[in-house]
């Protein structure tokens, strides 16, 4: 039996390999999608908790840092799913928080590292968005 994606004779080993390869790719894509969906759910719950903790004590920097990390993670997931506008929104919020934390305590190494990471994320998200706009033009 010949399948449309087979490139070899129907009974050959290559024909069997041609049939297995797309199925493996579909399984891998399905698994990656399921993992990404679960990750988004997990990170969204984390964001909700982080927002509540940050709001409860705005002077405590750890909940603020956790909130910026939640934004960063949701930005990463959004980039992986091709939602670049949403990714830019999340990483921008994370960058704003990271800037505020670094400004509040310039000697804090975590704050400086978080600011660098947030800056890299906004650049990556912006580059991906620019690439999409260019591709559509």
């Amino acid at each position: 039996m010949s399948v449309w994606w087979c490139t070899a004779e129907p009974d050959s080993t290559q024909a069997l390999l041609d049939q297995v390869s797309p199925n493996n790719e579909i399984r891998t894509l399905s698994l990656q999608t399921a993992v990404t969906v679960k990750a988004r759910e997990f990170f969204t719950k984390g964001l909700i908790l982080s927002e509540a903790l940050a709001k409860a004590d705005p002077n405590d920097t750890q909940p603020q840092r956790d909130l910026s990390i939640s934004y960063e993670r949701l930005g990463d997931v959004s980039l992986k799913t091709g939602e670049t506008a949403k990714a830019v929104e999340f990483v921008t919020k994370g960058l704003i928080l990271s800037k505020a934390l670094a400004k509040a305590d310039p000697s804090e190494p975590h704050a400086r590292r978080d600011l660098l990471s947030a800056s890299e994320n906004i650049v990556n998200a912006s580059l991906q968005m620019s690439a999409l706009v260019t591709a559509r033009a």
Side-chain angles (χ1 to χ4, degrees):
M1 174 179 179
S2 180
V3 181
W4 66 270
W5 62 78
C6 288
T7 58
E9 291 298 316
D11 295 330
S12 71
T13 303
Q14 186 60 49
L16 292 173
L17 290 173
D18 286 346
Q19 291 177 48
V20 169
S21 182
N23 286 329
N24 283 340
E25 291 172 16
I26 290 168
R27 283 189 206 110
T28 301
L29 183 59
S30 296
L31 179 60
Q32 289 170 344
T33 301
V35 168
T36 304
V37 169
K38 282 294 182 192
R40 181 185 301 282
E41 290 174 13
F42 180 75
F43 293 147
T44 300
K45 287 177 184 177
L47 175 65
I48 292 167
L49 291 171
S50 295
E51 285 175 333
L53 291 170
K55 186 177 180 181
D57 190 357
N59 296 322
D60 187 354
T61 58
Q62 188 58 50
Q64 302 296 324
R65 181 172 186 261
D66 292 343
L67 181 57
S68 74
I69 291 169
S70 291
Y71 286 133
E72 183 176 324
R73 290 181 175 160
L74 281 165
D76 287 343
V77 169
S78 297
L79 276 178
K80 286 184 171 98
T81 58
E83 299 172 278
T84 52
K86 190 174 270 193
V88 169
E89 180 183 330
F90 281 127
V91 297
T92 299
K93 288 179 180 181
L95 179 62
I96 290 167
L97 258 171
S98 294
K99 278 183 180 178
L101 290 169
K103 184 177 180 181
D105 189 357
S107 64
E108 170 56 44
H110 292 296
R112 291 195 322 259
R113 185 184 67 226
D114 291 347
L115 179 57
L116 175 62
S117 178
S119 298
E120 289 173 353
N121 287 337
I122 195 73
V123 167
N124 290 336
S126 297
L127 286 172
Q128 190 165 335
M129 182 173 265
S130 294
L132 283 176
V133 169
T134 302
R136 289 179 184 161

